[in-house]
Amino acid sequence: MSHYLLRRAGQGLLVLWAAFTLSFVLLQVLPGDAVLIKFQNPDLGLSPAQIEEMRVAYGANSPLWQQYFHTLFAMVRGDFGYSVQAGVPVSELIASNLPDTLQLALPAFALAVALAFTLAFASRLPALRWLSNAIQSVPVLLISLPTFWLGIALIQLFSFHWRLIPVINPSPLQGLILPIITVALPISAPLAQIFMRSIDQVAAQPFVAVARAKGFSETGVLWRHVTGNALLPVLNIAGLLLGELIAGALITETVFGRSGLGQLTQQAVNNQDIAVLQAVVMISALGFVLINLLVDLLMPWFDPRLQTVSGGAL
């Protein structure tokens, strides 16, 4: 098992390196220069020589290969560099904005899981057979909704039409309701679809037929025999959906004007602040790797057969 975990950790490090390399290359080819954007402002009154000194101070005039290795080794030490626009370490910007994003992302993920399970179970309950087709079509509808459009639609509906949630000066709790729903709905859709499909596959297994033959009710069979075995694909897709969850949170923060990594990213894009953008990418990639590693640890707990596989030739 330890060999398996070490190998998965090594794969996670490769993912982080690939994310760093790809983001570094893409950010370098973007038009514009963060140093020039800030220091060529006529109001600052800097001469070309002084501006060049600032470029040297930020390492902007170094060869790309030197910038690549300098940034890579710095990030390994936990140093994300300095924000050109803010003039402070990027780690301070991340530390001040990350809690707001987590405050949105974690409840949204919990709500998405709850919605997915509710849809999947409701579509299989005998008392709701007549609603099965309608319930199974709901995930398809949710997947097709763009996050930014959904956020604007919820504001229009709940704030302007029904006047239930104020959009100006809401309380901390009120300010979270619509953003959480906006992030959770698109994530709940693929989770519900995978869970429904997994329930169908497990329900067709011989051991479920044996349980029915013993006189268990359909609800009892669903809870006691089907659910646990149907959770494995859901765990896998839940880990993979982390990237979409983070992306949805960043877009939602912009739509609702919330502070967090989304607003920080928007400002960094406008100002070509590459150090901040690189840090946001790596924080997202690190979260993705950690969540998937956690899923790998949980899988054998749901299916003991995987303990032998993970400790053996997997």
Side-chain angles (χ1 to χ4, degrees), residues 71-135:
T71 306
L72 177 61
F73 293 144
M75 284 197 173
V76 170
R77 301 191 305 268
D79 180 8
F80 294 108
Y82 279 81
S83 167
V84 175
Q85 294 298 319
V88 299
V90 176
S91 57
E92 293 184 9
L93 297 177
I94 297 295
S96 61
N97 286 276
L98 183 59
D100 291 328
T101 297
L102 293 179
Q103 188 182 39
L104 169 61
L106 295 181
F109 186 74
L111 178 60
V113 171
L115 289 174
F117 276 53
T118 300
L119 288 172
F121 281 124
S123 67
R124 294 301 181 272
L125 292 177
L128 297 176
R129 287 293 185 187
W130 60 279
L131 282 176
S132 179
N133 292 335
I135 292 176

Side-chain angles (χ1 to χ4, degrees), residues 76-196:
V76 170
R77 301 191 305 268
D79 180 8
F80 294 108
Y82 279 81
S83 167
V84 175
Q85 294 298 319
V88 299
V90 176
S91 57
E92 293 184 9
L93 297 177
I94 297 295
S96 61
N97 286 276
L98 183 59
D100 291 328
T101 297
L102 293 179
Q103 188 182 39
L104 169 61
L106 295 181
F109 186 74
L111 178 60
V113 171
L115 289 174
F117 276 53
T118 300
L119 288 172
F121 281 124
S123 67
R124 294 301 181 272
L125 292 177
L128 297 176
R129 287 293 185 187
W130 60 279
L131 282 176
S132 179
N133 292 335
I135 292 176
Q136 291 189 51
S137 66
V138 171
V140 179
L141 174 63
L142 297 181
I143 289 175
S144 63
L145 296 177
T147 303
F148 69 90
W149 181 91
L150 180 60
I152 295 173
L154 290 177
I155 292 175
Q156 180 67 29
L157 189 63
F158 285 89
S159 298
F160 296 116
H161 184 68
W162 290 338
R163 301 184 182 276
L164 296 176
I165 301 175
V167 71
I168 300 176
N169 296 325
S171 67
L173 179 59
Q174 290 175 329
L176 276 173
I177 294 175
L178 294 184
I180 287 175
I181 296 175
T182 302
V183 176
L185 287 180
I187 300 299
S188 67
L191 284 175
Q193 283 193 324
I194 294 297
F195 196 28
M196 289 176 184

